[in-house]
Amino acid sequence: MPLRLRRRAVLVRPDVPIRMSRDPTDDKFLECAVSGAADDVVSADDDLLSLREVRGIPILDAPTFWRRLSEHGDQG
């Protein structure tokens, strides 16, 4: 993990149960994203990507995430 991202990483303990994914084993990632108020969920998983968002948090593939990040710069 690049140092720049590691410095901004936050350990999250999910406190919101979510049952949205076609694959129930993926729900834990959605729970962490919502509990941690993530800006984005980045995944290559088709079950997650098919949701497009979880409670207003975009679910993006890596190329889309990096493109958006480079377009908007580091705003956080």
Side-chain angles (χ1 to χ4, degrees):
M1 174 184 302
L3 184 58
R4 184 173 167 190
L5 289 178
R6 191 176 328 165
R7 286 185 192 148
R8 298 184 63 177
V10 176
L11 178 63
V12 174
R13 297 192 193 285
D15 57 4
V16 177
I18 295 177
R19 304 294 174 257
M20 289 179 63
S21 180
R22 297 182 297 208
D23 178 355
T25 64
D26 290 338
D27 288 329
K28 61 183 167 262
F29 303 112
L30 304 175
E31 293 170 349
C32 285
V34 171
S35 295
D39 294 322
D40 302 289
V41 173
V42 181
S43 179
D45 185 278
D46 288 333
D47 294 318
L48 290 176
L49 291 169
S50 70
L51 296 171
R52 301 188 65 186
E53 70 172 41
V54 57
R55 299 196 185 170
I57 301 169
I59 301 173
L60 311 169
D61 61 15
T64 302
F65 171 76
W66 286 114
R67 186 178 68 250
R68 287 185 180 187
L69 190 66
S70 67
E71 289 171 357
H72 299 288
D74 186 7
Q75 298 177 1

Coordinates of all heavy atoms in Angstrom, one line a residue:
M1 N 0.9 -1.2 0.0 CA 0.0 0.0 0.0 C 0.9 1.2 0.0 O 1.8 1.4 0.8 CB -0.9 0.0 1.3 CG -1.7 1.2 1.4 SD -2.7 1.3 3.0 CE -3.7 -0.1 2.8
P2 N 0.7 2.1 -0.9 CA 1.5 3.4 -0.9 C 1.4 4.1 0.4 O 0.3 4.1 1.0 CB 0.9 4.2 -2.1 CG 0.2 3.2 -2.9 CD -0.3 2.1 -2.0
L3 N 2.5 4.7 0.8 CA 2.6 5.4 2.1 C 1.5 6.4 2.2 O 0.9 6.6 3.3 CB 4.0 6.0 2.3 CG 4.2 6.6 3.6 CD1 4.0 5.6 4.8 CD2 5.6 7.2 3.7
R4 N 1.2 7.1 1.2 CA 0.3 8.2 1.2 C -1.1 7.7 1.6 O -1.8 8.3 2.4 CB 0.2 8.9 -0.2 CG -0.7 10.0 -0.2 CD -0.5 10.7 -1.6 NE -1.6 11.6 -1.9 CZ -1.8 12.2 -3.0 NH1 -1.0 11.9 -4.0 NH2 -2.7 13.0 -3.2
L5 N -1.5 6.5 1.1 CA -2.8 5.9 1.5 C -2.7 5.4 2.9 O -3.7 5.5 3.6 CB -3.2 4.9 0.5 CG -3.6 5.3 -0.9 CD1 -3.9 4.1 -1.8 CD2 -4.8 6.3 -0.8
R6 N -1.6 4.7 3.2 CA -1.5 4.1 4.5 C -1.6 5.2 5.6 O -2.2 4.9 6.7 CB -0.2 3.4 4.6 CG -0.1 2.5 5.9 CD 1.2 1.7 5.9 NE 1.7 1.4 4.6 CZ 2.9 1.0 4.4 NH1 3.8 0.9 5.4 NH2 3.4 0.7 3.2
R7 N -1.1 6.3 5.4 CA -1.2 7.4 6.5 C -2.7 7.8 6.7 O -3.0 8.3 7.8 CB -0.5 8.6 6.0 CG 1.0 8.5 6.1 CD 1.7 9.8 5.8 NE 3.1 9.6 5.6 CZ 3.9 10.3 4.8 NH1 3.3 11.2 4.0 NH2 5.1 10.0 4.7
R8 N -3.5 7.6 5.7 CA -4.9 8.0 5.8 C -5.8 6.9 6.2 O -7.0 7.1 6.3 CB -5.3 8.7 4.5 CG -4.5 9.9 4.3 CD -4.9 10.7 3.1 NE -6.3 11.2 3.3 CZ -6.9 11.9 2.4 NH1 -6.3 12.2 1.3 NH2 -8.1 12.3 2.6
A9 N -5.3 5.7 6.3 CA -6.1 4.5 6.6 C -6.7 4.6 8.0 O -6.0 5.1 8.9 CB -5.3 3.2 6.4
V10 N -7.9 4.1 8.2 CA -8.6 4.1 9.5 C -9.1 2.7 9.7 O -9.8 2.1 8.9 CB -9.7 5.1 9.5 CG1 -10.5 5.0 10.8 CG2 -9.2 6.5 9.2
L11 N -8.8 2.1 10.9 CA -9.4 0.8 11.3 C -10.8 1.0 11.7 O -11.2 1.9 12.5 CB -8.6 0.3 12.5 CG -9.1 -1.1 13.0 CD1 -9.0 -2.2 12.0 CD2 -8.4 -1.5 14.3
V12 N -11.7 0.2 11.1 CA -13.1 0.3 11.3 C -13.7 -1.0 11.8 O -13.4 -2.1 11.3 CB -13.8 0.7 9.9 CG1 -15.3 0.7 10.1 CG2 -13.4 2.0 9.4
R13 N -14.5 -0.9 12.8 CA -15.3 -2.0 13.3 C -16.7 -1.8 12.9 O -17.3 -0.8 13.4 CB -15.1 -2.1 14.8 CG -13.7 -2.4 15.3 CD -13.6 -2.8 16.7 NE -12.3 -2.7 17.2 CZ -11.3 -3.6 17.0 NH1 -11.6 -4.6 16.2 NH2 -10.1 -3.5 17.5
P14 N -17.2 -2.6 12.1 CA -18.6 -2.4 11.6 C -19.6 -2.4 12.7 O -19.6 -3.3 13.6 CB -18.8 -3.5 10.6 CG -17.7 -4.4 10.6 CD -16.6 -3.8 11.5
D15 N -20.5 -1.4 12.6 CA -21.6 -1.4 13.6 C -23.0 -1.3 13.0 O -24.0 -1.0 13.6 CB -21.4 -0.2 14.6 CG -21.3 1.1 13.9 OD1 -21.5 1.2 12.7 OD2 -21.0 2.1 14.6
V16 N -23.0 -1.5 11.7 CA -24.2 -1.4 10.9 C -24.4 -2.7 10.1 O -23.6 -2.9 9.2 CB -24.2 -0.2 9.9 CG1 -25.4 -0.1 9.0 CG2 -23.9 1.1 10.6
P17 N -25.4 -3.5 10.4 CA -25.6 -4.7 9.6 C -26.2 -4.3 8.2 O -27.1 -3.6 8.1 CB -26.6 -5.5 10.4 CG -27.3 -4.6 11.3 CD -26.4 -3.4 11.5
I18 N -25.6 -4.9 7.2 CA -26.0 -4.6 5.8 C -26.1 -6.0 5.1 O -25.2 -6.8 5.1 CB -25.1 -3.7 5.1 CG1 -25.1 -2.3 5.7 CG2 -25.4 -3.6 3.6 CD1 -24.1 -1.3 5.1
R19 N -27.2 -6.2 4.4 CA -27.5 -7.4 3.6 C -27.9 -6.9 2.2 O -29.1 -6.8 2.0 CB -28.5 -8.3 4.3 CG -28.3 -8.7 5.7 CD -27.0 -9.6 5.8 NE -26.7 -9.9 7.2 CZ -25.7 -9.3 7.8 NH1 -24.9 -8.4 7.2 NH2 -25.4 -9.6 9.1
M20 N -26.9 -6.7 1.4 CA -27.3 -6.1 0.0 C -26.7 -6.9 -1.1 O -27.3 -7.0 -2.2 CB -26.8 -4.7 -0.1 CG -27.6 -3.7 0.7 SD -26.9 -2.0 0.5 CE -27.2 -1.7 -1.2
S21 N -25.5 -7.5 -0.9 CA -24.8 -8.1 -2.0 C -25.4 -9.5 -2.4 O -26.0 -10.2 -1.5 CB -23.3 -8.4 -1.6 OG -22.6 -9.0 -2.7
R22 N -25.3 -9.8 -3.7 CA -25.7 -11.1 -4.1 C -24.9 -12.2 -3.4 O -25.4 -13.3 -3.3 CB -25.5 -11.3 -5.6 CG -26.3 -10.3 -6.5 CD -26.1 -10.5 -7.9 NE -24.7 -10.3 -8.3 CZ -24.3 -9.9 -9.5 NH1 -25.2 -9.7 -10.5 NH2 -23.0 -9.6 -9.8
D23 N -23.7 -11.9 -3.0 CA -22.8 -12.8 -2.3 C -22.7 -12.3 -0.9 O -22.1 -11.3 -0.6 CB -21.4 -12.8 -2.9 CG -20.4 -13.7 -2.2 OD1 -20.8 -14.2 -1.2 OD2 -19.3 -13.8 -2.7
P24 N -23.4 -13.0 0.0 CA -23.4 -12.6 1.4 C -22.1 -12.4 2.1 O -21.9 -11.6 3.0 CB -24.2 -13.7 2.2 CG -24.9 -14.4 1.1 CD -24.1 -14.2 -0.2
T25 N -21.0 -13.0 1.6 CA -19.7 -12.9 2.2 C -19.1 -11.5 1.8 O -18.1 -11.1 2.4 CB -18.7 -14.0 1.7 OG1 -18.5 -13.9 0.3 CG2 -19.3 -15.3 2.1
D26 N -19.7 -10.8 0.9 CA -19.2 -9.4 0.6 C -19.9 -8.3 1.4 O -19.4 -7.2 1.4 CB -19.6 -9.1 -0.9 CG -18.7 -9.9 -1.9 OD1 -17.7 -10.4 -1.5 OD2 -19.2 -10.0 -3.0
D27 N -20.9 -8.7 2.2 CA -21.6 -7.6 3.0 C -20.7 -7.0 4.0 O -20.9 -5.8 4.3 CB -22.8 -8.2 3.6 CG -24.0 -8.5 2.6 OD1 -24.1 -7.7 1.6 OD2 -24.8 -9.4 2.9
K28 N -19.7 -7.7 4.5 CA -18.8 -7.2 5.5 C -18.0 -5.9 5.0 O -17.8 -5.0 5.7 CB -17.8 -8.2 6.0 CG -16.9 -8.8 4.9 CD -16.0 -9.9 5.5 CE -15.4 -10.7 4.4 NZ -16.1 -11.9 4.1
F29 N -17.8 -5.9 3.7 CA -17.1 -4.8 3.1 C -18.0 -3.5 3.1 O -17.6 -2.4 3.3 CB -16.5 -5.1 1.7 CG -15.6 -6.3 1.7 CD1 -16.0 -7.5 1.1 CD2 -14.4 -6.2 2.4 CE1 -15.2 -8.6 1.1 CE2 -13.6 -7.3 2.4 CZ -13.9 -8.5 1.8
L30 N -19.3 -3.8 2.8 CA -20.2 -2.7 2.8 C -20.5 -2.2 4.2 O -20.6 -1.0 4.4 CB -21.6 -3.2 2.2 CG -21.5 -3.8 0.8 CD1 -22.8 -4.4 0.4 CD2 -21.0 -2.8 -0.2
E31 N -20.5 -3.1 5.2 CA -20.7 -2.7 6.6 C -19.5 -1.8 7.0 O -19.7 -0.8 7.7 CB -20.8 -3.9 7.5 CG -22.0 -4.7 7.2 CD -22.0 -6.1 7.9 OE1 -21.0 -6.5 8.5 OE2 -23.1 -6.7 8.0
C32 N -18.3 -2.2 6.6 CA -17.1 -1.4 7.0 C -17.2 0.0 6.3 O -16.9 1.0 6.9 CB -15.8 -2.1 6.6 SG -15.4 -3.4 7.7
A33 N -17.6 0.0 5.1 CA -17.6 1.3 4.3 C -18.6 2.3 5.0 O -18.3 3.4 5.2 CB -18.0 1.0 2.9
V34 N -19.8 1.7 5.3 CA -20.8 2.6 5.9 C -20.4 3.0 7.3 O -20.5 4.2 7.7 CB -22.2 1.9 5.9 CG1 -23.2 2.6 6.7 CG2 -22.7 1.7 4.4
S35 N -20.0 2.0 8.1 CA -19.6 2.3 9.5 C -18.4 3.3 9.6 O -18.4 4.2 10.5 CB -19.2 1.1 10.2 OG -20.3 0.2 10.4
G36 N -17.5 3.3 8.6 CA -16.4 4.2 8.6 C -16.6 5.4 7.8 O -15.7 6.2 7.6
A37 N -17.8 5.6 7.3 CA -18.1 6.8 6.4 C -17.1 6.9 5.3 O -16.6 8.0 5.1 CB -18.2 8.0 7.3
A38 N -16.9 5.8 4.6 CA -15.9 5.9 3.5 C -16.4 6.8 2.4 O -17.6 7.1 2.2 CB -15.8 4.4 2.9
D39 N -15.4 7.3 1.7 CA -15.7 8.2 0.5 C -16.1 7.3 -0.7 O -16.9 7.7 -1.5 CB -14.5 9.0 0.1 CG -14.2 10.1 1.2 OD1 -15.1 10.6 1.8 OD2 -13.0 10.3 1.5
D40 N -15.4 6.1 -0.8 CA -15.6 5.2 -1.9 C -15.4 3.8 -1.4 O -14.6 3.6 -0.5 CB -14.6 5.5 -3.1 CG -14.7 6.9 -3.6 OD1 -15.7 7.2 -4.3 OD2 -13.8 7.7 -3.4
V41 N -15.9 2.8 -2.2 CA -15.5 1.4 -2.0 C -14.9 1.1 -3.4 O -15.5 1.3 -4.4 CB -16.8 0.5 -1.8 CG1 -16.4 -1.0 -1.9 CG2 -17.5 0.8 -0.5
V42 N -13.7 0.5 -3.3 CA -12.9 0.2 -4.5 C -12.9 -1.4 -4.6 O -12.4 -2.0 -3.6 CB -11.5 0.8 -4.5 CG1 -10.8 0.4 -5.8 CG2 -11.6 2.3 -4.4
S43 N -13.3 -2.0 -5.6 CA -13.4 -3.4 -5.7 C -13.3 -3.9 -7.2 O -13.7 -3.1 -8.1 CB -14.7 -3.9 -5.1 OG -14.8 -5.3 -5.2
A44 N -12.9 -5.1 -7.3 CA -12.9 -5.8 -8.6 C -14.0 -6.9 -8.6 O -14.2 -7.6 -9.6 CB -11.6 -6.4 -9.0
D45 N -14.8 -6.9 -7.6 CA -15.8 -8.0 -7.4 C -17.1 -7.6 -8.1 O -17.7 -6.5 -7.8 CB -16.1 -8.1 -5.9 CG -17.0 -9.3 -5.6 OD1 -18.2 -9.0 -5.7 OD2 -16.5 -10.4 -5.3
D46 N -17.5 -8.4 -9.0 CA -18.7 -8.1 -9.8 C -20.0 -8.0 -9.0 O -20.8 -7.2 -9.3 CB -18.9 -9.2 -10.9 CG -17.9 -9.1 -12.0 OD1 -17.4 -8.0 -12.3 OD2 -17.6 -10.1 -12.7
D47 N -20.1 -8.8 -7.9 CA -21.2 -8.7 -7.0 C -21.3 -7.3 -6.3 O -22.4 -6.7 -6.2 CB -21.2 -9.8 -6.0 CG -21.4 -11.1 -6.6 OD1 -22.2 -11.3 -7.5 OD2 -20.7 -12.1 -6.1
L48 N -20.2 -6.8 -5.9 CA -20.2 -5.4 -5.3 C -20.4 -4.4 -6.4 O -21.1 -3.4 -6.2 CB -18.9 -5.2 -4.5 CG -18.7 -6.0 -3.2 CD1 -17.3 -5.8 -2.6 CD2 -19.8 -5.7 -2.3
L49 N -19.6 -4.5 -7.5 CA -19.8 -3.4 -8.5 C -21.2 -3.3 -9.1 O -21.6 -2.2 -9.4 CB -18.8 -3.8 -9.6 CG -17.3 -3.6 -9.3 CD1 -16.4 -4.2 -10.4 CD2 -17.0 -2.1 -9.0
S50 N -21.9 -4.4 -9.1 CA -23.3 -4.4 -9.6 C -24.2 -3.5 -8.8 O -25.2 -3.0 -9.2 CB -23.8 -5.8 -9.7 OG -24.1 -6.4 -8.4
L51 N -23.8 -3.3 -7.5 CA -24.6 -2.5 -6.6 C -24.5 -1.0 -6.9 O -25.4 -0.2 -6.7 CB -24.3 -2.7 -5.1 CG -24.5 -4.1 -4.6 CD1 -23.9 -4.2 -3.2 CD2 -26.0 -4.4 -4.5
R52 N -23.3 -0.6 -7.5 CA -23.0 0.8 -7.9 C -22.8 1.7 -6.7 O -22.0 2.6 -6.7 CB -24.0 1.4 -8.8 CG -24.1 0.5 -10.1 CD -24.9 1.1 -11.2 NE -24.3 2.3 -11.6 CZ -24.8 3.1 -12.5 NH1 -26.0 2.8 -13.0 NH2 -24.2 4.2 -12.8
E53 N -23.6 1.5 -5.6 CA -23.4 2.4 -4.4 C -24.0 1.7 -3.2 O -24.9 0.8 -3.4 CB -23.9 3.8 -4.5 CG -25.4 3.9 -4.6 CD -25.9 5.3 -4.5 OE1 -25.3 6.2 -5.2 OE2 -26.9 5.6 -3.8
V54 N -23.6 2.1 -2.0 CA -24.2 1.6 -0.8 C -24.4 2.8 0.1 O -23.5 3.5 0.4 CB -23.3 0.5 -0.1 CG1 -21.9 1.0 0.2 CG2 -24.0 0.0 1.2
R55 N -25.6 3.1 0.4 CA -26.0 4.2 1.2 C -25.3 5.5 0.8 O -24.8 6.2 1.7 CB -25.8 3.9 2.7 CG -26.7 2.7 3.1 CD -26.8 2.6 4.6 NE -27.6 1.4 4.9 CZ -27.7 0.9 6.1 NH1 -27.2 1.5 7.1 NH2 -28.4 -0.2 6.3
G56 N -25.3 5.8 -0.5 CA -24.7 7.0 -1.0 C -23.2 6.9 -1.2 O -22.6 7.9 -1.7
I57 N -22.5 5.8 -0.9 CA -21.1 5.7 -1.1 C -20.9 4.9 -2.4 O -21.3 3.8 -2.6 CB -20.5 4.9 0.0 CG1 -20.7 5.6 1.4 CG2 -19.0 4.6 -0.2 CD1 -20.3 4.7 2.6
P58 N -20.2 5.6 -3.4 CA -20.0 4.9 -4.7 C -19.1 3.6 -4.6 O -18.2 3.6 -3.8 CB -19.2 6.0 -5.5 CG -19.4 7.2 -4.8 CD -19.6 6.9 -3.3
I59 N -19.4 2.6 -5.3 CA -18.6 1.4 -5.4 C -18.0 1.4 -6.8 O -18.7 1.4 -7.8 CB -19.5 0.2 -5.2 CG1 -20.2 0.2 -3.8 CG2 -18.6 -1.1 -5.4 CD1 -21.2 -0.9 -3.6
L60 N -16.7 1.5 -6.9 CA -15.9 1.7 -8.1 C -14.9 0.6 -8.4 O -14.4 0.1 -7.4 CB -15.2 3.1 -8.0 CG -16.0 4.3 -7.6 CD1 -15.0 5.5 -7.3 CD2 -17.0 4.7 -8.6
D61 N -14.6 0.4 -9.7 CA -13.5 -0.4 -10.0 C -12.2 0.4 -9.8 O -12.3 1.6 -9.8 CB -13.6 -1.1 -11.3 CG -13.7 -0.1 -12.5 OD1 -13.3 1.1 -12.3 OD2 -14.1 -0.5 -13.6
A62 N -11.1 -0.2 -9.8 CA -9.8 0.5 -9.5 C -9.5 1.5 -10.6 O -9.1 2.7 -10.2 CB -8.7 -0.5 -9.4
P63 N -9.7 1.2 -11.9 CA -9.3 2.3 -12.9 C -10.2 3.5 -12.7 O -9.7 4.6 -12.9 CB -9.6 1.6 -14.2 CG -9.4 0.1 -13.9 CD -9.9 -0.1 -12.5
T64 N -11.5 3.3 -12.4 CA -12.4 4.5 -12.3 C -12.0 5.3 -11.0 O -12.0 6.5 -11.0 CB -13.9 4.0 -12.1 OG1 -14.2 3.3 -13.3 CG2 -14.8 5.2 -12.0
F65 N -11.7 4.6 -9.9 CA -11.2 5.2 -8.7 C -10.0 6.1 -9.0 O -9.9 7.3 -8.6 CB -10.9 4.2 -7.6 CG -10.3 4.8 -6.4 CD1 -11.0 5.6 -5.5 CD2 -8.9 4.7 -6.2 CE1 -10.4 6.1 -4.4 CE2 -8.3 5.2 -5.1 CZ -9.0 6.0 -4.2
W66 N -9.0 5.5 -9.6 CA -7.7 6.2 -9.8 C -8.0 7.4 -10.8 O -7.4 8.5 -10.6 CB -6.6 5.3 -10.4 CG -6.1 4.4 -9.3 CD1 -6.2 3.1 -9.2 CD2 -5.4 4.9 -8.1 NE1 -5.6 2.7 -8.1 CE2 -5.1 3.7 -7.4 CE3 -4.9 6.1 -7.7 CZ2 -4.4 3.7 -6.2 CZ3 -4.2 6.1 -6.5 CH2 -4.0 5.0 -5.7
R67 N -8.8 7.2 -11.8 CA -9.1 8.3 -12.7 C -9.8 9.5 -12.0 O -9.4 10.6 -12.1 CB -10.0 7.9 -13.9 CG -10.2 8.9 -14.9 CD -11.1 8.5 -16.1 NE -12.5 8.2 -15.7 CZ -13.0 7.0 -15.6 NH1 -12.3 5.9 -15.9 NH2 -14.3 6.9 -15.2
R68 N -10.8 9.2 -11.1 CA -11.4 10.2 -10.3 C -10.5 10.9 -9.4 O -10.5 12.1 -9.2 CB -12.6 9.6 -9.6 CG -13.8 9.3 -10.4 CD -15.0 8.9 -9.6 NE -16.1 8.5 -10.4 CZ -17.3 8.3 -9.9 NH1 -17.5 8.3 -8.6 NH2 -18.3 7.9 -10.7
L69 N -9.6 10.1 -8.8 CA -8.6 10.7 -7.8 C -7.7 11.6 -8.5 O -7.4 12.7 -8.0 CB -7.9 9.5 -7.2 CG -7.0 9.9 -6.0 CD1 -7.8 10.4 -4.8 CD2 -6.1 8.8 -5.6
S70 N -7.2 11.2 -9.7 CA -6.3 12.1 -10.5 C -7.0 13.4 -11.0 O -6.4 14.4 -11.1 CB -5.6 11.4 -11.6 OG -6.6 11.0 -12.6
E71 N -8.3 13.2 -11.3 CA -9.1 14.4 -11.8 C -9.4 15.4 -10.7 O -9.4 16.6 -10.9 CB -10.4 13.9 -12.4 CG -10.3 13.2 -13.7 CD -11.6 12.6 -14.2 OE1 -12.6 12.7 -13.4 OE2 -11.6 12.0 -15.3
H72 N -9.6 14.9 -9.5 CA -10.0 15.8 -8.4 C -8.8 16.1 -7.5 O -9.0 17.0 -6.6 CB -11.1 15.2 -7.6 CG -12.3 14.9 -8.4 ND1 -13.2 16.0 -8.8 CD2 -12.9 13.8 -8.9 CE1 -14.1 15.5 -9.6 NE2 -14.0 14.2 -9.6
G73 N -7.7 15.5 -7.6 CA -6.6 15.7 -6.8 C -6.8 15.2 -5.4 O -7.8 14.6 -5.1
D74 N -5.9 15.6 -4.5 CA -6.0 15.2 -3.1 C -6.8 16.3 -2.3 O -6.2 17.3 -1.9 CB -4.7 15.0 -2.5 CG -4.7 14.4 -1.1 OD1 -5.8 14.0 -0.6 OD2 -3.6 14.3 -0.4
Q75 N -8.1 16.1 -2.1 CA -8.9 17.1 -1.5 C -9.2 16.7 0.0 O -10.1 17.3 0.6 CB -10.3 17.2 -2.2 CG -10.1 17.7 -3.7 CD -11.4 17.8 -4.4 OE1 -12.4 17.5 -3.9 NE2 -11.3 18.1 -5.7
G76 N -8.5 15.8 0.6 CA -8.9 15.4 1.9 C -7.8 15.5 2.9 O -6.7 15.8 2.9

